[in-house]
Amino acid sequence: MDALLAWTALVVPSALWGVLCALRFRSKFTGIAAAAVPWFVLLLFILFSEYYLPYQGGGASMWPIAQLFGGTVAATVAYQAYKVSMRFLGKRT
């Protein structure tokens, strides 16, 4: 159940960000921003939990691997939500 909650907390805000980018921003770089912002937000969250929160124990740090997989998922979901929203709104990308 914890894994489902973690993936939901990653995917839903990323998709909402992609839709918000399609609705509000008009630039040729909006698609890049739609994908990059969730990736960097996840990176900030991981680095904050790694370096500023007390040590939780449990062995080696796996934050680069978490960023690789989680960041890729967040960026992909946000970009696809952006593209689908742009198509639904009838705007050219």
Side-chain angles (χ1 to χ4, degrees), residues 20-35:
L20 180 71
C21 285
L23 291 173
R24 294 290 175 202
F25 303 118
R26 293 189 180 163
S27 171
K28 62 181 179 179
F29 301 110
T30 305
I32 295 169

Side-chain angles (χ1 to χ4, degrees), residues 14-24 78 81-82 85 89:
S14 297
L16 290 175
W17 172 252
V19 171
L20 180 71
C21 285
L23 291 173
R24 294 290 175 202
Y82 167 73
S85 298
L89 294 171

